[in-house]
Amino acid sequence: MATTASIDSDRAHTHPIVELRVRADPGQLPVLRAVAAAIALQQDFDLDTVADVKLAVDEAATRLIMSAVDGTDVTCRFQAIAPTLRISVSATTRPSPASSARTFGWHVLNSLADSVEVRVDDTADGSVTTIDLSLTEGSAAR
């Protein structure tokens, strides 16, 4: 007798990741915000938290776009692990894209998200900067 396994049963134990790549251009920010909002709504976040998710994605992506190497993409990954939405935004950047923690943008990110982490990985193509965010419903200090 043959043994079979369903791909769906394997996937039932993981949390899907939605990944979106757009060129590193400010004109692409509305696309990133729209996808972020759709995913937050799908997770049944309240409207205030959806707005926070959109603003956090916008701020992180803007920071990376402003320091992105010409011709590169911004990659945004979303993973919902109830009740948390994890967001990872990355791009190949010039040096020191997200270094100053004293800017207004960093204050905004830290007030919107439960956690904010920045990683810079050196690759053959340059430095890949990643901003990881974690948000839950009502995480912003109101």
Side-chain angles (χ1 to χ4, degrees):
M1 177 182 254
T3 304
T4 62
S6 169
I7 293 174
D8 292 332
S9 66
D10 289 338
R11 289 184 183 165
H13 302 293
T14 63
H15 300 280
I17 296 173
V18 175
E19 182 175 297
L20 175 65
R21 290 176 192 247
V22 296
R23 73 178 180 278
D25 180 276
Q28 297 300 312
L29 290 170
V31 174
L32 293 174
R33 286 192 304 265
V35 171
I39 292 171
L41 285 168
Q42 183 183 28
Q43 296 307 307
D44 291 328
F45 283 2
D46 62 44
L47 293 179
D48 287 336
T49 305
V50 172
D52 293 345
V53 168
K54 287 172 50 177
L55 184 56
V57 167
D58 184 88
E59 184 59 41
T62 298
R63 186 168 281 285
L64 293 176
I65 288 170
M66 292 302 142
S67 297
V69 172
D70 290 339
T72 193
D73 290 338
V74 171
T75 302
C76 196
R77 291 185 180 98
F78 301 89
Q79 185 177 32
I81 303 173
T84 303
L85 179 58
R86 294 182 181 169
I87 303 165
S88 180
V89 186
S90 61
T92 302
T93 57
R94 296 182 295 276
S96 302
S99 60
S100 178
R102 294 183 179 196
T103 64
F104 179 72
W106 277 119
H107 177 70
V108 169
L109 278 176
N110 282 307
S111 66
L112 294 173
D114 295 321
S115 68
V116 179
E117 295 179 27
V118 178
R119 290 188 324 271
V120 179
D121 300 311
D122 293 322
T123 67
D125 298 329
S127 296
V128 176
T129 302
T130 303
I131 301 174
D132 291 318
L133 308 167
S134 176
L135 292 98
T136 56
E137 190 164 11
S139 27
R142 299 190 206 290

